[in-house]
Amino acid sequence: MAKVFQMADASNLVTELRRNFDAGVTRGYEWRVTQLKKLLVICDKREPEIVSALHDDLGKPELESSVYEVALVRNSIKLARKQLKEWMAPDKTSLTMFPASAKIVSEPLGVVLVISAWNYPLMLSIDPVIGAISSGNAVVLKPSELAPASSSLLAKLLEQYLDPCAVRVVEGAVTETTLLLEQKWDKIFYTGSSRIGRIIMTAAAKHLTPVSLELGGKSPVVIDSDTNLKAYNIGQMGLQQWAGVHFSRLHPDNKEYAPKVIDSLKQELEAFYGNNPMESRDMSRIVNLNHFDRQSKMLEEKEVFDKIVYGGQKNRDKLKISPTLLLDVPLDSLIMSEEIFGPLLPILTLNNLEECFDVIHSRPKPLAAYLFTRNNKLKKRFTKTVSAGGIVVNDTAVHFTLPTLPFGGVGESGIGSYHGKFSFDAFSHNKSVLFKSFLGDSAIRYPPYSRGKLRVLKALVNSNLVDTFKVLLGLS
Ligand SMILES: NC(=O)c1ccc[n+]([C@@H]2O[C@H](COP(=O)([O-])OP(=O)(O)OC[C@H]3O[C@@H](n4cnc5c(N)ncnc54)[C@H](O)[C@@H]3O)[C@@H](O)[C@H]2O)c1
Protein backbone atom coordinates (compact mmCIF):
# COMPACT_ATOMS: atom_id res chain seq x y z
CA MET A 1 0.00 0.00 0.00
CA ALA A 2 1.29 3.48 -0.88
CA LYS A 3 2.50 5.51 2.08
CA VAL A 4 0.08 8.25 3.12
CA PHE A 5 1.48 11.72 2.46
CA GLN A 6 1.48 13.66 5.72
CA MET A 7 2.34 17.13 6.99
CA ALA A 8 5.87 16.01 7.94
CA ASP A 9 6.40 14.70 4.40
CA ALA A 10 5.34 18.02 2.89
CA SER A 11 7.52 19.97 5.27
CA ASN A 12 10.56 17.67 4.83
CA LEU A 13 10.20 17.83 1.08
CA VAL A 14 10.34 21.62 1.00
CA THR A 15 13.19 21.71 3.54
CA GLU A 16 15.24 19.29 1.46
CA LEU A 17 14.63 21.10 -1.82
CA ARG A 18 15.37 24.44 -0.19
CA ARG A 19 18.66 23.10 1.12
CA ASN A 20 19.59 21.94 -2.38
CA PHE A 21 18.47 25.20 -3.92
CA ASP A 22 20.49 27.19 -1.38
CA ALA A 23 23.50 25.00 -2.13
CA GLY A 24 23.23 26.20 -5.73
CA VAL A 25 22.31 22.84 -7.30
CA THR A 26 19.83 24.34 -9.75
CA ARG A 27 21.40 27.68 -10.55
CA GLY A 28 23.95 26.84 -13.21
CA TYR A 29 23.28 26.80 -16.93
CA GLU A 30 24.51 23.18 -17.19
CA TRP A 31 22.02 21.82 -14.65
CA ARG A 32 19.12 23.59 -16.32
CA VAL A 33 20.05 22.38 -19.80
CA THR A 34 20.61 18.82 -18.59
CA GLN A 35 17.13 18.71 -17.07
CA LEU A 36 15.59 20.14 -20.21
CA LYS A 37 17.39 17.50 -22.30
CA LYS A 38 16.01 14.80 -20.03
CA LEU A 39 12.50 16.16 -20.49
CA LEU A 40 13.09 15.91 -24.22
CA VAL A 41 14.15 12.28 -23.85
CA ILE A 42 10.86 11.60 -22.04
CA CYS A 43 8.92 13.09 -24.97
CA ASP A 44 10.98 11.23 -27.56
CA LYS A 45 11.24 7.82 -25.91
CA ARG A 46 8.10 7.51 -23.83
CA GLU A 47 5.46 8.97 -26.15
CA PRO A 48 3.55 5.66 -26.54
CA GLU A 49 3.12 5.40 -22.74
CA ILE A 50 2.01 9.02 -22.56
CA VAL A 51 -0.54 8.51 -25.34
CA SER A 52 -1.82 5.39 -23.62
CA ALA A 53 -2.20 7.15 -20.22
CA LEU A 54 -4.10 10.02 -21.85
CA HIS A 55 -6.36 7.49 -23.50
CA ASP A 56 -7.00 5.75 -20.16
CA ASP A 57 -7.83 9.05 -18.45
CA LEU A 58 -9.84 10.82 -21.10
CA GLY A 59 -10.28 8.53 -24.08
CA LYS A 60 -8.09 11.06 -25.87
CA PRO A 61 -7.42 10.10 -29.51
CA GLU A 62 -3.78 9.43 -30.36
CA LEU A 63 -3.54 12.36 -32.77
CA GLU A 64 -4.70 14.85 -30.14
CA SER A 65 -2.27 13.45 -27.56
CA SER A 66 0.68 13.33 -29.93
CA VAL A 67 0.13 16.76 -31.41
CA TYR A 68 -1.56 18.91 -28.74
CA GLU A 69 0.30 17.44 -25.78
CA VAL A 70 3.61 15.76 -26.65
CA ALA A 71 4.59 17.81 -29.72
CA LEU A 72 3.71 21.13 -28.09
CA VAL A 73 5.69 20.23 -24.97
CA ARG A 74 8.61 19.12 -27.14
CA ASN A 75 8.56 22.50 -28.89
CA SER A 76 8.56 24.33 -25.56
CA ILE A 77 11.57 22.36 -24.36
CA LYS A 78 13.47 22.94 -27.60
CA LEU A 79 12.78 26.65 -27.49
CA ALA A 80 13.91 26.92 -23.86
CA ARG A 81 17.11 24.99 -24.64
CA LYS A 82 17.88 27.19 -27.62
CA GLN A 83 17.15 30.49 -25.91
CA LEU A 84 18.29 29.73 -22.37
CA LYS A 85 21.70 31.47 -22.54
CA GLU A 86 20.07 34.58 -23.90
CA TRP A 87 17.29 34.51 -21.30
CA MET A 88 19.80 34.06 -18.48
CA ALA A 89 22.14 36.82 -19.64
CA PRO A 90 21.98 39.96 -17.51
CA ASP A 91 20.48 42.98 -19.17
CA LYS A 92 23.22 45.61 -18.99
CA THR A 93 21.15 48.72 -18.90
CA SER A 94 23.64 51.49 -18.70
CA LEU A 95 27.32 52.19 -18.86
CA THR A 96 26.76 55.92 -19.09
CA MET A 97 26.68 56.18 -15.34
CA PHE A 98 30.40 55.68 -15.09
CA PRO A 99 31.90 55.20 -12.50
CA ALA A 100 28.71 53.32 -11.61
CA SER A 101 27.23 50.59 -13.77
CA ALA A 102 23.91 48.81 -13.59
CA LYS A 103 22.31 45.64 -14.84
CA ILE A 104 19.18 43.55 -14.41
CA VAL A 105 19.87 40.02 -13.28
CA SER A 106 17.24 37.27 -13.63
CA GLU A 107 17.42 35.22 -10.49
CA PRO A 108 15.46 32.07 -9.69
CA LEU A 109 12.74 32.51 -7.10
CA GLY A 110 13.68 29.38 -5.13
CA VAL A 111 11.43 26.41 -4.39
CA VAL A 112 8.23 26.51 -6.42
CA LEU A 113 5.00 24.54 -6.54
CA VAL A 114 3.16 23.70 -9.79
CA ILE A 115 -0.43 22.46 -9.45
CA SER A 116 -2.05 21.35 -12.68
CA ALA A 117 -5.43 20.40 -14.15
CA TRP A 118 -6.68 17.27 -15.93
CA ASN A 119 -7.76 18.32 -19.41
CA TYR A 120 -4.22 18.51 -20.84
CA PRO A 121 -2.51 16.50 -18.11
CA LEU A 122 0.94 16.41 -19.75
CA MET A 123 1.14 19.88 -21.20
CA LEU A 124 -0.39 21.75 -18.26
CA SER A 125 2.08 19.98 -15.95
CA ILE A 126 5.29 20.02 -17.96
CA ASP A 127 5.02 23.45 -19.60
CA PRO A 128 5.23 25.31 -16.26
CA VAL A 129 7.94 22.87 -15.07
CA ILE A 130 9.99 23.85 -18.15
CA GLY A 131 9.71 27.47 -17.02
CA ALA A 132 10.60 26.64 -13.43
CA ILE A 133 13.69 24.61 -14.43
CA SER A 134 14.83 27.11 -17.09
CA SER A 135 14.85 29.84 -14.47
CA GLY A 136 16.87 27.67 -12.09
CA ASN A 137 14.29 26.78 -9.46
CA ALA A 138 13.67 23.62 -7.49
CA VAL A 139 10.15 22.47 -8.31
CA VAL A 140 7.41 20.23 -6.97
CA LEU A 141 4.69 19.20 -9.40
CA LYS A 142 1.22 18.19 -8.18
CA PRO A 143 -0.67 16.79 -11.18
CA SER A 144 -4.45 16.41 -11.21
CA GLU A 145 -5.88 13.37 -9.46
CA LEU A 146 -8.71 13.40 -12.00
CA ALA A 147 -6.29 12.08 -14.62
CA PRO A 148 -4.76 9.29 -12.48
CA ALA A 149 -2.94 7.37 -15.22
CA SER A 150 -1.20 10.54 -16.42
CA SER A 151 -0.46 11.61 -12.85
CA SER A 152 1.25 8.33 -11.96
CA LEU A 153 3.13 8.24 -15.27
CA LEU A 154 4.40 11.79 -14.69
CA ALA A 155 5.55 10.79 -11.19
CA LYS A 156 7.34 7.73 -12.57
CA LEU A 157 9.01 9.47 -15.51
CA LEU A 158 10.15 12.57 -13.65
CA GLU A 159 11.61 10.42 -10.89
CA GLN A 160 13.39 8.24 -13.43
CA TYR A 161 14.83 10.98 -15.64
CA LEU A 162 15.14 14.22 -13.68
CA ASP A 163 17.34 15.26 -10.77
CA PRO A 164 15.51 14.23 -7.57
CA CYS A 165 17.54 16.81 -5.63
CA ALA A 166 15.39 19.51 -7.17
CA VAL A 167 12.49 18.09 -9.17
CA ARG A 168 9.76 16.07 -7.46
CA VAL A 169 6.19 14.99 -8.07
CA VAL A 170 3.60 14.66 -5.33
CA GLU A 171 0.47 12.82 -6.39
CA GLY A 172 -2.84 13.32 -4.68
CA ALA A 173 -6.03 15.27 -4.29
CA VAL A 174 -7.35 17.88 -1.87
CA THR A 175 -5.66 16.44 1.28
CA GLU A 176 -2.20 16.28 -0.27
CA THR A 177 -2.56 19.65 -2.00
CA THR A 178 -3.71 21.26 1.24
CA LEU A 179 -0.63 19.92 3.04
CA LEU A 180 1.58 21.26 0.28
CA LEU A 181 -0.17 24.64 0.43
CA GLU A 182 0.60 24.91 4.15
CA GLN A 183 4.32 25.15 3.28
CA LYS A 184 6.20 28.28 2.42
CA TRP A 185 6.88 28.36 -1.33
CA ASP A 186 8.64 31.00 -3.37
CA LYS A 187 6.00 30.78 -6.09
CA ILE A 188 2.81 28.83 -6.69
CA PHE A 189 1.81 28.25 -10.28
CA TYR A 190 -1.74 26.94 -10.44
CA THR A 191 -3.92 25.81 -13.37
CA GLY A 192 -7.55 25.02 -12.60
CA SER A 193 -10.89 26.52 -11.75
CA SER A 194 -11.42 30.03 -10.43
CA ARG A 195 -13.14 28.55 -7.36
CA ILE A 196 -10.04 26.61 -6.26
CA GLY A 197 -7.86 29.49 -7.47
CA ARG A 198 -9.26 31.52 -4.57
CA ILE A 199 -8.20 28.77 -2.12
CA ILE A 200 -4.70 28.75 -3.64
CA MET A 201 -4.36 32.53 -3.39
CA THR A 202 -5.58 32.56 0.21
CA ALA A 203 -3.00 29.92 1.17
CA ALA A 204 -0.27 31.83 -0.69
CA ALA A 205 -1.18 35.09 1.04
CA LYS A 206 -0.27 33.61 4.42
CA HIS A 207 3.38 33.51 3.33
CA LEU A 208 3.18 36.42 0.88
CA THR A 209 3.99 33.92 -1.85
CA PRO A 210 3.52 35.21 -5.42
CA VAL A 211 1.11 33.26 -7.59
CA SER A 212 0.36 32.63 -11.23
CA LEU A 213 -3.24 31.55 -11.59
CA GLU A 214 -4.24 30.05 -14.93
CA LEU A 215 -7.99 29.89 -14.49
CA GLY A 216 -11.10 29.13 -16.46
CA GLY A 217 -14.49 30.63 -17.14
CA LYS A 218 -16.58 31.21 -20.18
CA SER A 219 -14.98 32.32 -23.42
CA PRO A 220 -17.28 34.07 -25.91
CA VAL A 221 -17.17 33.58 -29.67
CA VAL A 222 -18.78 36.29 -31.76
CA ILE A 223 -19.80 35.22 -35.26
CA ASP A 224 -20.53 38.19 -37.46
CA SER A 225 -22.93 37.62 -40.31
CA ASP A 226 -20.19 38.85 -42.65
CA THR A 227 -18.22 35.65 -42.15
CA ASN A 228 -16.92 33.02 -44.49
CA LEU A 229 -18.73 30.05 -42.94
CA LYS A 230 -16.37 27.66 -44.66
CA ALA A 231 -13.38 29.27 -42.96
CA TYR A 232 -15.33 29.31 -39.71
CA ASN A 233 -15.75 25.58 -40.00
CA ILE A 234 -12.04 25.09 -40.43
CA GLY A 235 -11.52 26.86 -37.11
CA GLN A 236 -13.55 24.45 -35.03
CA MET A 237 -10.87 23.87 -32.45
CA GLY A 238 -13.30 25.47 -29.97
CA LEU A 239 -15.81 22.74 -30.59
CA GLN A 240 -13.19 20.06 -30.29
CA GLN A 241 -12.04 21.52 -27.01
CA TRP A 242 -15.52 21.75 -25.64
CA ALA A 243 -15.02 24.93 -23.77
CA GLY A 244 -16.77 28.20 -23.59
CA VAL A 245 -19.90 30.06 -24.33
CA HIS A 246 -20.55 31.22 -27.80
CA PHE A 247 -22.49 34.22 -28.97
CA SER A 248 -23.39 35.05 -32.49
CA ARG A 249 -24.05 38.50 -33.74
CA LEU A 250 -26.63 38.44 -36.45
CA HIS A 251 -27.40 41.16 -38.87
CA PRO A 252 -30.91 42.45 -38.03
CA ASP A 253 -32.02 42.06 -41.63
CA ASN A 254 -30.65 38.59 -41.93
CA LYS A 255 -32.65 36.35 -39.63
CA GLU A 256 -31.74 33.51 -41.94
CA TYR A 257 -28.22 33.55 -40.62
CA ALA A 258 -28.64 31.55 -37.39
CA PRO A 259 -29.91 28.43 -39.19
CA LYS A 260 -27.02 28.79 -41.65
CA VAL A 261 -24.46 28.81 -38.83
CA ILE A 262 -26.13 25.82 -37.23
CA ASP A 263 -26.34 23.88 -40.49
CA SER A 264 -22.73 24.58 -41.15
CA LEU A 265 -21.73 23.39 -37.65
CA LYS A 266 -23.84 20.25 -38.03
CA GLN A 267 -22.18 19.43 -41.34
CA GLU A 268 -18.78 19.91 -39.83
CA LEU A 269 -19.56 17.81 -36.75
CA GLU A 270 -20.83 15.02 -38.96
CA ALA A 271 -17.67 15.22 -41.03
CA PHE A 272 -15.68 14.96 -37.76
CA TYR A 273 -17.56 12.19 -35.97
CA GLY A 274 -20.00 10.62 -38.46
CA ASN A 275 -23.70 10.02 -37.90
CA ASN A 276 -23.16 8.29 -34.60
CA PRO A 277 -20.70 10.43 -32.62
CA MET A 278 -21.22 8.31 -29.49
CA GLU A 279 -19.30 5.51 -31.21
CA SER A 280 -16.59 7.72 -32.72
CA ARG A 281 -13.07 6.89 -31.63
CA ASP A 282 -12.06 10.47 -32.39
CA MET A 283 -14.14 11.92 -29.56
CA SER A 284 -12.80 12.04 -25.99
CA ARG A 285 -15.04 11.07 -23.12
CA ILE A 286 -16.07 13.18 -20.12
CA VAL A 287 -13.41 12.90 -17.41
CA ASN A 288 -15.60 11.46 -14.62
CA LEU A 289 -19.14 10.99 -13.31
CA ASN A 290 -19.18 14.31 -11.46
CA HIS A 291 -18.45 16.22 -14.62
CA PHE A 292 -20.90 14.05 -16.59
CA ASP A 293 -23.70 14.74 -14.10
CA ARG A 294 -22.85 18.44 -13.94
CA GLN A 295 -23.20 18.77 -17.71
CA SER A 296 -26.31 16.58 -17.81
CA LYS A 297 -27.90 18.91 -15.29
CA MET A 298 -27.13 21.88 -17.55
CA LEU A 299 -28.80 20.13 -20.48
CA GLU A 300 -31.83 18.97 -18.55
CA GLU A 301 -32.66 22.34 -17.08
CA LYS A 302 -36.13 23.68 -17.82
CA GLU A 303 -36.12 26.00 -20.85
CA VAL A 304 -32.79 24.58 -21.97
CA PHE A 305 -33.59 21.01 -22.98
CA ASP A 306 -36.01 22.11 -25.70
CA LYS A 307 -33.38 24.46 -27.12
CA ILE A 308 -31.21 21.58 -28.30
CA VAL A 309 -30.95 21.78 -32.08
CA TYR A 310 -28.35 19.07 -32.57
CA GLY A 311 -26.96 16.19 -30.51
CA GLY A 312 -27.99 15.78 -26.89
CA GLN A 313 -27.27 12.02 -26.66
CA LYS A 314 -25.74 10.79 -23.41
CA ASN A 315 -24.34 7.54 -22.08
CA ARG A 316 -23.58 7.66 -18.37
CA ASP A 317 -21.84 4.25 -18.31
CA LYS A 318 -19.43 5.26 -21.05
CA LEU A 319 -19.20 8.87 -19.82
CA LYS A 320 -19.99 10.16 -23.29
CA ILE A 321 -22.04 13.16 -24.35
CA SER A 322 -22.42 13.81 -28.04
CA PRO A 323 -21.53 17.25 -29.44
CA THR A 324 -24.59 19.34 -28.71
CA LEU A 325 -25.76 22.65 -30.15
CA LEU A 326 -28.37 24.78 -28.41
CA LEU A 327 -30.04 27.87 -29.77
CA ASP A 328 -31.14 30.85 -27.68
CA VAL A 329 -31.09 29.42 -24.19
CA PRO A 330 -32.02 31.88 -21.38
CA LEU A 331 -29.14 34.08 -20.25
CA ASP A 332 -29.72 33.12 -16.63
CA SER A 333 -29.66 29.35 -17.27
CA LEU A 334 -26.91 27.18 -15.73
CA ILE A 335 -25.36 26.57 -19.14
CA MET A 336 -25.02 30.32 -19.67
CA SER A 337 -23.80 31.17 -16.19
CA GLU A 338 -21.39 28.37 -15.29
CA GLU A 339 -18.30 27.10 -17.03
CA ILE A 340 -19.28 24.22 -19.34
CA PHE A 341 -15.99 22.44 -20.01
CA GLY A 342 -17.75 19.85 -22.16
CA PRO A 343 -19.20 19.28 -25.64
CA LEU A 344 -22.13 21.69 -25.30
CA LEU A 345 -22.34 24.81 -27.42
CA PRO A 346 -25.04 27.36 -26.63
CA ILE A 347 -25.54 29.89 -29.41
CA LEU A 348 -27.29 33.20 -28.80
CA THR A 349 -28.90 35.28 -31.51
CA LEU A 350 -28.08 38.91 -30.83
CA ASN A 351 -29.21 41.86 -32.87
CA ASN A 352 -26.08 43.93 -33.05
CA LEU A 353 -22.58 44.32 -31.82
CA GLU A 354 -23.60 46.52 -28.89
CA GLU A 355 -25.65 43.62 -27.53
CA CYS A 356 -22.62 41.34 -27.87
CA PHE A 357 -20.47 43.78 -25.95
CA ASP A 358 -23.17 44.15 -23.30
CA VAL A 359 -23.33 40.40 -22.73
CA ILE A 360 -19.54 40.05 -22.66
CA HIS A 361 -19.11 43.02 -20.32
CA SER A 362 -21.80 41.77 -17.97
CA ARG A 363 -19.66 38.73 -17.17
CA PRO A 364 -16.18 38.13 -15.67
CA LYS A 365 -13.32 38.86 -18.06
CA PRO A 366 -12.74 35.71 -20.13
CA LEU A 367 -9.55 33.73 -20.71
CA ALA A 368 -10.10 34.15 -24.44
CA ALA A 369 -12.51 35.91 -26.75
CA TYR A 370 -13.00 35.00 -30.38
CA LEU A 371 -14.41 36.82 -33.36
CA PHE A 372 -15.26 35.53 -36.82
CA THR A 373 -15.68 38.26 -39.43
CA ARG A 374 -14.35 39.69 -42.67
CA ASN A 375 -15.05 43.20 -41.49
CA ASN A 376 -11.79 45.02 -40.61
CA LYS A 377 -13.50 47.80 -38.68
CA LEU A 378 -15.21 45.21 -36.53
CA LYS A 379 -11.92 43.41 -35.90
CA LYS A 380 -10.39 46.68 -34.68
CA ARG A 381 -13.34 47.53 -32.49
CA PHE A 382 -13.52 44.09 -30.96
CA THR A 383 -9.83 43.90 -30.09
CA LYS A 384 -9.98 47.39 -28.59
CA THR A 385 -13.23 46.97 -26.65
CA VAL A 386 -13.13 43.43 -25.30
CA SER A 387 -10.90 42.72 -22.32
CA ALA A 388 -9.76 39.09 -22.30
CA GLY A 389 -6.64 37.04 -21.56
CA GLY A 390 -6.20 36.71 -25.30
CA ILE A 391 -8.11 37.37 -28.51
CA VAL A 392 -8.11 35.35 -31.71
CA VAL A 393 -9.83 36.54 -34.86
CA ASN A 394 -11.12 33.91 -37.31
CA ASP A 395 -9.90 30.91 -35.36
CA THR A 396 -9.98 29.65 -31.78
CA ALA A 397 -7.36 28.70 -29.19
CA VAL A 398 -4.37 28.87 -31.57
CA HIS A 399 -2.78 31.72 -29.62
CA PHE A 400 -1.97 29.01 -27.05
CA THR A 401 0.53 27.45 -29.44
CA LEU A 402 2.59 30.57 -30.14
CA PRO A 403 5.47 30.91 -27.67
CA THR A 404 5.95 34.56 -28.61
CA LEU A 405 2.54 35.35 -27.10
CA PRO A 406 1.99 35.42 -23.33
CA PHE A 407 -0.75 32.97 -22.36
CA GLY A 408 -2.84 33.82 -19.32
CA GLY A 409 -6.04 35.35 -18.08
CA VAL A 410 -7.16 38.72 -16.80
CA GLY A 411 -9.53 39.47 -13.94
CA GLU A 412 -11.31 36.29 -12.89
CA SER A 413 -9.69 34.25 -15.66
CA GLY A 414 -6.27 34.53 -14.12
CA ILE A 415 -3.18 36.29 -12.86
CA GLY A 416 0.14 36.17 -14.71
CA SER A 417 1.04 34.46 -17.94
CA TYR A 418 3.49 31.94 -19.39
CA HIS A 419 4.86 30.23 -22.53
CA GLY A 420 8.26 30.83 -24.13
CA LYS A 421 10.23 33.59 -22.42
CA PHE A 422 7.12 34.48 -20.39
CA SER A 423 7.47 31.12 -18.59
CA PHE A 424 11.07 31.96 -17.73
CA ASP A 425 9.94 35.34 -16.42
CA ALA A 426 7.08 33.81 -14.43
CA PHE A 427 9.61 31.95 -12.27
CA SER A 428 12.31 34.65 -12.13
CA HIS A 429 12.91 37.80 -10.18
CA ASN A 430 14.33 40.77 -12.07
CA LYS A 431 17.00 41.92 -9.69
CA SER A 432 18.38 45.43 -10.12
CA VAL A 433 22.10 45.52 -9.48
CA LEU A 434 24.14 48.72 -9.35
CA PHE A 435 27.91 48.73 -8.96
CA LYS A 436 29.53 51.90 -7.72
CA SER A 437 33.20 52.55 -7.30
CA PHE A 438 34.63 54.48 -4.38
CA LEU A 439 35.62 57.19 -6.83
CA GLY A 440 34.01 60.50 -6.15
CA ASP A 441 30.97 61.41 -4.18
CA SER A 442 29.24 64.68 -3.63
CA ALA A 443 28.61 66.38 -0.33
CA ILE A 444 25.62 68.03 -1.96
CA ARG A 445 23.33 65.08 -1.15
CA TYR A 446 24.20 64.97 2.55
CA PRO A 447 23.23 67.15 5.53
CA PRO A 448 23.63 69.82 6.61
CA TYR A 449 21.13 70.88 3.92
CA SER A 450 21.13 74.42 2.61
CA ARG A 451 19.14 76.52 0.18
CA GLY A 452 22.08 76.34 -2.22
CA LYS A 453 22.16 72.57 -2.15
CA LEU A 454 18.38 72.48 -2.59
CA ARG A 455 18.57 74.78 -5.63
CA VAL A 456 21.30 72.80 -7.33
CA LEU A 457 19.71 69.43 -6.60
CA LYS A 458 16.29 70.57 -7.82
CA ALA A 459 17.77 71.88 -11.01
CA LEU A 460 19.59 68.61 -11.54
CA VAL A 461 16.63 66.39 -10.80
CA ASN A 462 14.54 68.46 -13.19
CA SER A 463 17.16 68.34 -15.90
CA ASN A 464 18.44 64.91 -16.69
CA LEU A 465 19.18 61.79 -14.77
CA VAL A 466 22.68 61.22 -16.06
CA ASP A 467 23.81 64.75 -15.08
CA THR A 468 22.21 64.29 -11.68
CA PHE A 469 24.14 61.11 -11.12
CA LYS A 470 27.37 62.76 -12.21
CA VAL A 471 26.90 65.51 -9.65
CA LEU A 472 25.93 63.06 -6.95
CA LEU A 473 28.98 61.00 -7.75
CA GLY A 474 31.15 64.09 -7.69
CA LEU A 475 31.98 64.06 -11.37
CA SER A 476 30.78 67.51 -12.32
N1 LIG B 1 -6.16 28.84 -17.93
C1 LIG B 1 -5.77 27.67 -18.37
O1 LIG B 1 -4.76 27.54 -19.04
C2 LIG B 1 -6.57 26.44 -18.04
C3 LIG B 1 -6.21 25.24 -18.66
C4 LIG B 1 -6.91 24.10 -18.33
C5 LIG B 1 -7.95 24.14 -17.42
N2 LIG B 1 -8.28 25.32 -16.85
C6 LIG B 1 -9.40 25.38 -15.91
O2 LIG B 1 -9.28 24.30 -15.00
C7 LIG B 1 -10.57 23.84 -14.62
C8 LIG B 1 -10.68 22.35 -14.84
O3 LIG B 1 -9.64 21.69 -14.21
P1 LIG B 1 -9.84 20.96 -12.81
O4 LIG B 1 -11.21 20.41 -12.70
O5 LIG B 1 -8.67 20.02 -12.66
O6 LIG B 1 -9.68 22.17 -11.84
P2 LIG B 1 -9.68 22.12 -10.26
O7 LIG B 1 -9.57 23.54 -9.89
O8 LIG B 1 -10.78 21.29 -9.71
O9 LIG B 1 -8.34 21.33 -9.89
C9 LIG B 1 -7.06 21.77 -10.28
C10 LIG B 1 -6.06 21.34 -9.26
O10 LIG B 1 -6.43 21.84 -7.98
C11 LIG B 1 -6.39 20.81 -7.00
N3 LIG B 1 -7.47 21.03 -6.04
C12 LIG B 1 -8.77 20.71 -6.19
N4 LIG B 1 -9.49 21.06 -5.09
C13 LIG B 1 -8.60 21.62 -4.24
C14 LIG B 1 -8.72 22.18 -2.91
N5 LIG B 1 -9.89 22.24 -2.27
N6 LIG B 1 -7.61 22.65 -2.34
C15 LIG B 1 -6.44 22.60 -2.98
N7 LIG B 1 -6.26 22.07 -4.21
C16 LIG B 1 -7.32 21.59 -4.83
C17 LIG B 1 -6.60 19.54 -7.79
O11 LIG B 1 -6.00 18.45 -7.09
C18 LIG B 1 -5.94 19.83 -9.11
O12 LIG B 1 -4.56 19.48 -9.12
C19 LIG B 1 -11.56 24.59 -15.47
O13 LIG B 1 -12.09 25.65 -14.71
C20 LIG B 1 -10.70 25.13 -16.60
O14 LIG B 1 -11.19 26.28 -17.20
C21 LIG B 1 -7.62 26.47 -17.14
Side-chain angles (χ1 to χ4, degrees):
M1 213 173 80
K3 191 176 165 289
V4 179
F5 188 75
Q6 292 176 334
M7 183 61 93
D9 298 311
S11 152
N12 291 342
L13 173 66
V14 178
T15 306
E16 185 190 333
L17 293 196
R18 193 170 297 290
R19 196 183 316 119
N20 296 336
F21 174 79
D22 289 343
V25 170
T26 62
R27 286 184 181 243
Y29 172 79
E30 283 309 322
W31 182 87
R32 305 183 198 194
V33 163
T34 306
Q35 303 310 305
L36 292 174
K37 280 184 186 160
K38 295 273 175 64
L39 282 175
L40 205 54
V41 175
I42 293 178
C43 290
D44 290 341
K45 297 232 163 104
R46 311 300 287 265
E47 180 168 335
E49 281 164 81
I50 295 169
V51 168
S52 161
L54 292 169
H55 191 269
D56 288 351
D57 286 333
L58 302 159
K60 225 179 230 206
E62 181 183 349
L63 181 145
E64 287 184 21
S65 298
S66 284
V67 177
Y68 302 125
E69 298 248 26
V70 183
L72 283 183
V73 165
R74 194 184 276 120
N75 281 352
S76 293
I77 302 167
K78 284 184 175 166
L79 181 85
R81 259 184 66 187
K82 196 165 149 226
Q83 305 276 328
L84 189 57
K85 271 215 167 104
E86 203 180 299
W87 292 350
M88 286 175 70
D91 181 354
K92 293 191 176 132
T93 49
S94 179
L95 292 172
T96 55
M97 288 178 194
F98 179 82
S101 69
K103 60 184 176 179
I104 303 166
V105 176
S106 287
E107 70 172 10
L109 294 173
V111 184
V112 303
L113 175 63
V114 171
I115 302 173
S116 67
W118 54 264
N119 60 321
Y120 285 91
L122 178 82
M123 189 177 55
L124 296 176
S125 299
I126 299 298
D127 239 12
V129 167
I130 293 167
I133 288 173
S134 302
S135 341
N137 297 278
V139 54
V140 173
L141 166 67
K142 210 299 290 173
S144 170
E145 73 282 12
L146 300 194
S150 307
S151 172
S152 81
L153 183 65
L154 280 166
K156 184 175 103 180
L157 294 178
L158 266 58
E159 185 182 347
Q160 191 179 336
Y161 286 90
L162 275 85
D163 180 359
C165 288
V167 183
R168 295 285 183 82
V169 177
V170 173
E171 287 194 84
V174 178
T175 311
E176 292 77 3
T177 317
T178 306
L179 295 175
L180 289 171
L181 287 172
E182 288 277 320
Q183 312 308 311
K184 178 172 166 43
W185 301 91
D186 297 301
K187 169 105 192 191
I188 301 175
F189 188 105
Y190 167 82
T191 304
S193 60
S194 306
R195 186 175 70 83
I196 308 298
R198 289 179 164 83
I199 296 177
I200 305 293
M201 201 162 168
T202 306
K206 191 172 154 202
H207 300 288
L208 283 181
T209 296
V211 290
S212 285
L213 301 177
E214 298 288 330
L215 308 178
K218 299 176 95 57
S219 296
V221 177
V222 174
I223 308 168
D224 179 38
S225 50
D226 181 11
T227 297
N228 176 352
L229 278 178
K230 203 68 208 155
Y232 167 58
N233 286 338
I234 295 165
Q236 277 315 296
M237 192 63 181
L239 266 175
Q240 276 179 294
Q241 295 219 345
W242 311 131
V245 169
H246 301 241
F247 310 115
S248 68
R249 173 224 180 201
L250 300 178
H251 195 279
D253 304 330
N254 190 0
K255 295 286 182 201
E256 307 291 294
Y257 198 65
K260 277 191 193 157
V261 172
I262 287 163
D263 279 351
S264 157
L265 285 169
K266 280 182 193 171
Q267 271 175 31
E268 205 61 28
L269 285 168
E270 272 173 27
F272 282 178
Y273 305 116
N275 289 332
N276 187 1
M278 299 295 274
E279 296 303 321
S280 169
R281 296 202 333 212
D282 293 333
M283 197 179 79
S284 304
R285 64 168 166 78
I286 309 298
V287 66
N288 62 20
L289 262 185
N290 282 346
H291 282 272
F292 182 93
D293 290 341
R294 186 180 57 76
Q295 288 168 49
S296 295
K297 197 171 151 201
M298 287 180 172
L299 276 186
E300 282 154 14
E301 207 187 3
K302 202 168 148 268
E303 293 190 64
V304 169
F305 188 72
D306 59 354
K307 302 290 176 4
I308 296 176
V309 290
Y310 180 77
Q313 295 101 320
K314 290 180 284 170
N315 183 329
R316 197 166 184 265
D317 294 334
K318 291 189 177 169
L319 294 176
K320 288 232 171 182
I321 301 181
S322 69
T324 301
L325 306 175
L326 304 102
L327 185 60
D328 290 331
V329 293
L331 269 174
D332 60 355
S333 55
L334 272 181
I335 202 168
M336 282 308 296
S337 26
E338 291 188 7
E339 184 174 21
I340 300 171
F341 228 58
L344 321 177
L345 188 72
I347 298 171
L348 298 183
T349 310
L350 301 174
N351 288 318
N352 52 49
L353 199 59
E354 300 318 317
E355 274 189 33
C356 285
F357 289 147
D358 286 348
V359 178
I360 294 173
H361 290 151
S362 68
R363 281 137 197 272
K365 293 182 180 180
L367 181 62
Y370 305 111
L371 169 70
F372 288 86
T373 188
R374 275 190 274 237
N375 180 332
N376 286 335
K377 266 196 189 151
L378 181 52
K379 290 177 196 170
K380 264 195 195 153
R381 231 183 117 203
F382 188 86
T383 48
K384 212 169 152 184
T385 312
V386 174
S387 177
I391 285 181
V392 180
V393 176
N394 293 338
D395 206 331
T396 58
V398 287
H399 61 313
F400 186 87
T401 62
L402 231 68
T404 45
L405 291 178
F407 184 82
V410 58
E412 280 194 35
S413 57
I415 295 174
S417 59
Y418 72 134
H419 287 184
K421 170 73 161 48
F422 305 102
S423 294
F424 180 89
D425 292 338
F427 290 99
S428 301
H429 164 61
N430 276 336
K431 184 164 67 180
S432 299
V433 180
L434 191 145
F435 298 97
K436 212 194 112 184
S437 84
F438 290 116
L439 274 178
D441 199 352
S442 170
I444 198 167
R445 63 177 170 146
Y446 300 113
Y449 298 135
S450 66
R451 298 231 50 94
K453 283 182 177 178
L454 176 66
R455 204 180 53 249
V456 175
L457 271 176
K458 263 172 109 172
L460 284 171
V461 172
N462 288 337
S463 64
N464 114 19
L465 214 58
V466 175
D467 289 348
T468 307
F469 263 91
K470 283 186 173 163
V471 169
L472 293 180
L473 297 170
L475 295 171
S476 62

